Amino acid sequence: KIKKKYTQKHKNSITMKLFNTWSFEKIKIIDISLSDYIFISHKSGLIQPHTASNYSKQPFKKIFCPIIERLVCSLMLGGKNTGKKIKIISIVETAFRLIHIITKLNPIYVTLKAILNIAPLEDAIVIGTRGVSRRESVDISPYKRVSQSIYLISSGVRKYAFKNMKSISECLADELINAFKNSPNSYAIKKKNEIERLGRASR
């Protein structure tokens, strides 16, 4: 009876937090087109960056992968950190603490706003064969927009952290803050502008 009373009383007060520090509760995605493709729901409990699930069995199942875990997996690819997920999780945790110290904001909100700012809207593809080929402007799907923004963040962080006095956590924090502010100092924002410029030129 005591256990039942305790669980009923404290059931609503217990909430999962990322790294036992930051909550997802008050965070909302402003962009309606990307809201279905960025998973931050805590209803199923899958908000930690290590869910140990297989998201490649079905097409578009990656949508249900927590967005922080997608960032971790993207940073894990390439170089000597390949496959070292626990190490990358600690890097992301350190970067989030630095973001909180610098901006005084929830680092989850900063990361989501950075992803929304980086996601490109249009791109150019090559149509035709070698002899008769031309560039054509196309709209990018919301699924690819999210994936491409995460890729641009991770590739920019790896580039700046190589042969640099700063640690990779500091480089990740700087990149996310610059992208959050939509600053031209961000590698991902520069690449996004290049992609959209090619798309506009090929209209």
Side-chain angles (χ1 to χ4, degrees), residues 44 47 60 76-77 100 132 154 168:
S44 57
I47 60 169
F60 301 104
M76 196 170 60
L77 295 174
H100 180 66
V132 187
S154 60
I168 190 168

Side-chain angles (χ1 to χ4, degrees), residues 16 18-19 45-55 65-70 72-73 76 83-90:
M16 287 188 70
L18 183 68
F19 303 125
L46 299 175
I47 60 169
Q48 296 302 321
H50 184 53
T51 56
S53 298
N54 191 350
Y55 297 100
C65 180
I67 193 69
I68 307 301
E69 184 174 9
R70 290 187 69 180
V72 166
C73 293
M76 196 170 60
K84 298 177 183 177
K85 195 167 188 180
I86 305 297
K87 185 177 181 180
I88 300 296
I89 288 169
S90 66

